[in-house]
Amino acid sequence: MIHRRASDSRGLTQTDWLESRHSFSFDSYYDPDYTAFGSLRVINDDRVTGGSGFPTHPHRDMEILTYVVEGAIAHEDSMGNRKTVAAGHLQTMSAGSGITHSEFNPLPDEQTRFIQIWITPREQGLTPSYAEWAPGNNTNGLTLMASPDGRDHSVVIHQDADVYLLHPDTEEIRFGPKPNQQQWLQVIAGRITVNNQAFNEGDSAIIKNESTLSLSGSPGSSALFFDLL
């Protein structure tokens, strides 16, 4: 089963400095059909104007991943980290027993776009931690960014979930899901085809009980791909 969650069916938060599209129920947006997908709890596609951002706020018992699509994010947290995360990079925080952090667009005249992901950890009260993933020389179009075991130079998250960056525009990608796993594909840019079904920017492909996936895309296309229990 492959189901399309259309881009324009997502929730929307819009202010003078933020446009955020919500794939799942978040803040004042509530959709009983989209409260979570396995351990995947939040996918927010955020566009932040120059010099603006989220002031210091708390989190706990959540794996928080931020993939920067364009621009940059300036991050500070209660663990003492002060980082600027560039486009194409992934930041991860295990909020665990509790952290505070802030996120700002440090570019005064440029928009920053990032995808923020929350994944429910397998246990509560973990020691908070921070890590970053940077793109390497992988050219096969499907790059593992985060995983429970840190394999293939990915960062570790505390859940049985693999998070991939998908660039399927050079060749068809074949993916064989593990038994009892389900997948969520979030299109960042372009047009991506999953088993002959097409998905455009902002669309999601919700995938269950498929023995093999064939992924291809238009030039410049990209997506986040989640393989989850």
Side-chain angles (χ1 to χ4, degrees):
M1 185 277 286
I2 302 177
H3 172 71
R4 177 173 174 259
R5 166 92 151 119
S7 175
D8 60 7
S9 69
R10 296 175 296 172
L12 172 64
T13 295
Q14 195 157 26
T15 70
D16 58 348
W17 61 270
L18 170 69
E19 180 182 302
S20 182
R21 290 283 182 178
H22 314 303
S23 295
F24 298 100
S25 296
F26 185 84
D27 197 18
S28 61
Y29 167 66
Y30 178 71
D31 185 331
D33 294 328
Y34 292 98
T35 58
F37 183 74
S39 60
L40 187 56
R41 176 61 189 84
V42 165
I43 300 178
N44 288 344
D45 189 343
D46 291 347
R47 290 170 169 83
V48 178
T49 60
S52 300
F54 300 92
T56 301
H57 56 282
H59 292 285
R60 66 180 301 122
D61 292 323
M62 196 65 66
E63 304 294 287
I64 300 172
L65 293 73
T66 304
Y67 178 72
V68 182
V69 179
E70 60 185 47
I73 285 290
H75 164 95
E76 293 188 20
D77 63 45
S78 55
M79 295 177 281
N81 296 297
R82 289 187 172 189
K83 303 285 187 176
T84 298
V85 185
H89 293 228
L90 178 78
Q91 172 199 82
T92 65
M93 286 192 305
S94 291
S97 57
I99 56 107
T100 60
H101 78 131
S102 62
E103 300 162 291
F104 278 86
N105 175 1
L107 308 174
D109 302 315
E110 296 180 35
Q111 175 182 265
T112 282
R113 179 187 177 196
F114 61 91
I115 313 292
Q116 186 158 104
I117 303 131
W118 294 6
I119 294 174
T120 305
R122 68 171 72 92
E123 58 184 295
Q124 296 186 342
L126 296 167
T127 300
S129 61
Y130 177 95
E132 290 180 35
W133 174 91
N137 297 319
N138 190 305
T139 58
N140 68 3
L142 187 66
T143 306
L144 185 65
M145 296 192 294
S147 68
D149 55 6
R151 69 189 186 280
D152 298 334
H153 308 290
S154 60
V155 292
V156 173
I157 54 175
H158 300 97
Q159 183 52 272
D160 296 323
D162 291 335
V163 182
Y164 294 87
L165 180 62
L166 175 66
H167 284 288
D169 56 345
T170 56
E171 60 182 351
E172 180 186 45
I173 296 167
R174 306 284 288 184
F175 185 85
K178 300 173 186 176
N180 303 316
Q181 298 280 95
Q182 54 190 348
Q183 296 76 42
W184 183 287
L185 182 141
Q186 188 70 41
V187 182
I188 297 172
R191 183 180 179 89
I192 290 177
T193 300
V194 184
N195 289 6
N196 298 315
Q197 296 187 44
F199 300 85
N200 297 311
E201 180 176 324
D203 289 348
S204 304
I206 303 162
I207 305 162
K208 297 181 179 180
N209 301 318
E210 294 287 329
S211 59
T212 304
L213 296 175
S214 173
L215 308 163
S216 59
S218 62
S221 59
S222 61
L224 297 175
F225 182 71
F226 303 87
D227 192 26
L228 312 145
L229 286 175

